[in-house]
């Protein structure tokens, strides 16, 4: 479904207003201390806005918007530090089923993801390789997958595994024999991770597609992640600038000191560059643009968050200050679906290097 720029802005504002009301810093701290790590009531409200079904076709209960709308929504999610399985379930899992699944797979799995009643995840290496999991001759899975996003919540579990001659996407039942999932200790409590272990675990292949479908799903996920990073960078930058305007030292607002002005100007360039890269990746959709956003947004977000702590002075070093939450989100996102080095290599390959 194509919508106008004005309608995209209305969608962005609706998400922003909801998160401003239900995902304040206090809410984030409360939710990230819970066992599940997300707010089911807020998830329902996001579902009422259509977010879990944003990329899913209308015939499966979604609204089928595009990458530009996804990026716009993701900026708001990143700005609010929303702890939720949106990226894992509504983007990666939904896109992979759409790209790899048969018609029967889509009719069975996508409606639950679209209305938010099901939560999905995909076990795949952060190096974009499925080497850690293999399909045995009898069709079962054996191996281990680390850093599976929101793995403890998922009731739709997809696994990217190596077959005898290709790469396939498989579905594993949450209660399948030989399947264990263990919650990982995380650096960023707003993004939950798990380790999945498969020991002769029965699995069902989803469709017949291989790596091309997986790459498509990962590319879409990188666009969303880049949007989150751009939104998070902008939010902590704006918070910092506001602090520079109001914090007085030696009789002057500290933002009036030249060193602070220069630092803030450099970080503004980072924020604007990241935003441009994320939006360009969404509109262009080419491998090069997506790879560029993959490393540019991750690096900009971490730089801006680190500078925010520095510019806040002593208070920025305390856990009570939100700058730490943004820095942790920046650092976890920088590794979540490929490091900057991986995306730089993909970018160079896209340019024929």
């Amino acid at each position: 479904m194509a919508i106008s720029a004005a309608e995209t802005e209305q969608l962005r504002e609706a998400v922003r207003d909801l998160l401003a009301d239900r995902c304040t810093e206090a809410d984030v701290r409360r939710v990230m201390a819970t066992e599940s790590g997300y707010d089911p009531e807020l998830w329902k409200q996001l579902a009422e806005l259509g977010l879990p079904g944003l990329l899913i076709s209308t015939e499966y209960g979604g609204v089928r918007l595009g990458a530009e709308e996804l990026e716009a929504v993701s900026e708001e999610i990143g700005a609010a530090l929303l702890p939720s399985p949106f990226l894992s379930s509504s983007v990666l899992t939904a896109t992979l089923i759409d790209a790899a699944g048969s018609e029967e797979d889509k009719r069975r799995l996508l409606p639950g993801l679209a209305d938010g009643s099901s939560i999905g995840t995909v076990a795949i290496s952060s190096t974009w390789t499925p080497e850690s999991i293999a399909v045995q001759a009898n069709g079962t899975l054996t191996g281990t997958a680390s850093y599976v996003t929101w793995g403890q919540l998922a009731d739709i579990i997809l696994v990217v595994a190596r077959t005898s001659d290709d790469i396939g996407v498989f579905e594993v039942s949450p209660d399948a024999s030989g399947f264990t999932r263990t919650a990982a200790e995380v650096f960023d409590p707003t993004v939950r991770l798990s380790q999945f272990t498969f020991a002769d675990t029965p699995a069902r292949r989803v469709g017949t597609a291989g790596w091309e479908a997986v790459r498509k799903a990962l590319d879409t996920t990188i666009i969303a992640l880049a949007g989150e990073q751009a939104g998070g960078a902008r939010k902590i930058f704006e918070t910092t600038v506001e602090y520079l305007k109001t914090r007085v030292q030696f009789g002057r607002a500290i933002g009036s000191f030249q060193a602070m002005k220069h630092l803030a100007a450099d970080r503004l360039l980072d924020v604007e560059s990241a935003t441009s890269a994320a939006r360009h990746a969404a509109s262009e959709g080419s491998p090069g643009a997506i790879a560029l956003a993959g490393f540019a947004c991750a690096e900009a977000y971490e730089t801006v968050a680190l500078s925010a702590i520095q510019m806040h002075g002593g208070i920025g070093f305390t856990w009570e200050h939100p700058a730490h939450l943004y820095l942790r989100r920046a650092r976890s996102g920088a590794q979540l679906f490929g490091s900057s080095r991986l995306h730089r290599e993909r970018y160079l390959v896209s340019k024929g290097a």
Side-chain angles (χ1 to χ4, degrees), residues 227-287:
E228 282 196 16
Q229 291 164 331
R234 182 175 297 281
K235 179 63 177 180
I236 190 59
F237 174 75
E238 292 175 346
T239 300
T240 304
V241 169
E242 190 60 32
Y243 179 75
L244 297 182
K245 292 177 179 176
T246 55
R247 176 74 167 94
V248 175
Q249 192 71 280
F250 307 114
R252 297 167 54 185
I254 62 173
S256 66
F257 292 105
Q258 193 173 49
M260 287 295 188
K261 288 180 179 178
H262 287 175
L263 193 54
D266 288 342
R267 297 296 81 82
L268 176 59
L269 284 175
D270 290 332
V271 171
E272 293 297 338
S273 296
T275 303
S276 295
R279 293 179 181 179
H280 178 65
S283 63
E284 179 78 12
S286 67

Side-chain angles (χ1 to χ4, degrees), residues 337-353:
F337 295 104
S339 66
S340 287
R341 180 174 181 175
L342 172 70
H343 294 303
R344 285 180 187 280
E345 290 177 354
R346 295 182 62 235
Y347 178 74
L348 291 174
V349 170
S350 74
K351 298 302 178 185

Side-chain angles (χ1 to χ4, degrees), residues 20 35 44 86 88 143 172 208 217 266 290 303 328 332 346 349:
E35 183 176 353
K44 288 180 182 177
F86 176 77
S88 175
V172 170
T208 58
D266 288 342
I290 294 171
T303 300
R328 290 183 182 230
S332 67
R346 295 182 62 235
V349 170

Side-chain angles (χ1 to χ4, degrees), residues 11-327:
L11 173 63
R12 178 198 291 271
E13 291 176 1
V15 175
R16 181 188 304 156
D17 291 344
L18 174 60
L19 296 182
D21 182 48
R22 293 297 312 278
C23 190
T24 63
E25 180 194 345
D27 291 322
V28 171
R29 291 184 182 276
R30 173 180 56 79
V31 170
M32 72 185 195
T34 63
E35 183 176 353
S36 67
Y38 86 120
D39 183 345
E41 290 303 315
L42 177 55
W43 184 248
K44 288 180 182 177
Q45 290 181 285
L46 291 170
E48 291 171 1
L49 286 179
L51 259 63
L54 190 77
L55 300 174
I56 296 173
S57 175
T58 53
E59 62 184 302
Y60 308 119
V63 292
R64 193 56 159 186
L65 297 180
E68 290 178 278
E69 292 78 19
L70 171 66
E71 193 279 336
V73 165
S74 296
E75 285 188 27
E76 301 306 322
I77 288 174
L81 290 174
L82 174 67
S84 86
F86 176 77
L87 191 66
S88 175
S89 181
S90 310
V91 181
L92 179 59
T93 307
T95 308
L96 185 55
I97 293 171
D98 185 61
S102 64
E103 183 61 26
E104 190 276 333
D105 293 324
K106 296 175 185 178
R107 292 195 179 282
R108 183 169 56 85
L109 298 174
L110 289 179
L113 293 176
D115 65 20
S117 59
S118 294
I119 292 175
T121 192
V122 180
I124 182 173
S125 164
S126 62
T127 58
W128 291 39
T129 61
E131 295 174 351
S132 61
I133 303 171
V135 182
Q136 306 303 305
N138 62 0
T140 61
L141 301 182
T142 295
T144 301
S146 301
Y147 313 117
V148 181
T149 50
W150 297 93
Q152 299 304 104
L153 289 181
D155 52 3
I156 295 178
I157 297 168
L158 303 183
V159 183
V160 178
R162 186 175 296 280
T163 66
S164 59
D165 58 354
D166 195 6
I167 289 168
V169 180
F170 296 82
E171 180 187 4
V172 170
S173 172
D175 57 359
S177 62
F179 170 53
T180 57
R181 47 183 166 182
T182 307
E185 186 174 344
V186 291
F187 174 76
D188 171 19
T190 67
V191 177
R192 298 301 175 90
L193 302 172
S194 300
Q195 177 173 287
F196 284 1
T197 301
F198 307 94
D200 296 324
T201 304
R204 174 186 175 278
R205 182 150 186 176
V206 176
T208 58
W211 179 249
E212 187 57 29
V214 178
R215 188 199 57 76
K216 180 180 179 181
L218 285 170
D219 276 346
T220 304
T221 305
I222 292 301
I223 291 173
L225 179 60
E228 282 196 16
Q229 291 164 331
R234 182 175 297 281
K235 179 63 177 180
I236 190 59
F237 174 75
E238 292 175 346
T239 300
T240 304
V241 169
E242 190 60 32
Y243 179 75
L244 297 182
K245 292 177 179 176
T246 55
R247 176 74 167 94
V248 175
Q249 192 71 280
F250 307 114
R252 297 167 54 185
I254 62 173
S256 66
F257 292 105
Q258 193 173 49
M260 287 295 188
K261 288 180 179 178
H262 287 175
L263 193 54
D266 288 342
R267 297 296 81 82
L268 176 59
L269 284 175
D270 290 332
V271 171
E272 293 297 338
S273 296
T275 303
S276 295
R279 293 179 181 179
H280 178 65
S283 63
E284 179 78 12
S286 67
I290 294 171
L292 174 65
F295 67 82
C297 295
E299 293 174 3
Y301 191 8
E302 183 171 2
T303 300
V304 172
L306 276 170
S307 292
I309 290 177
Q310 178 185 0
M311 295 162 81
H312 273 88
I315 193 173
F317 284 88
T318 63
W319 173 239
E320 287 75 16
H321 196 277
H324 278 280
L325 298 177
Y326 284 90
L327 178 60

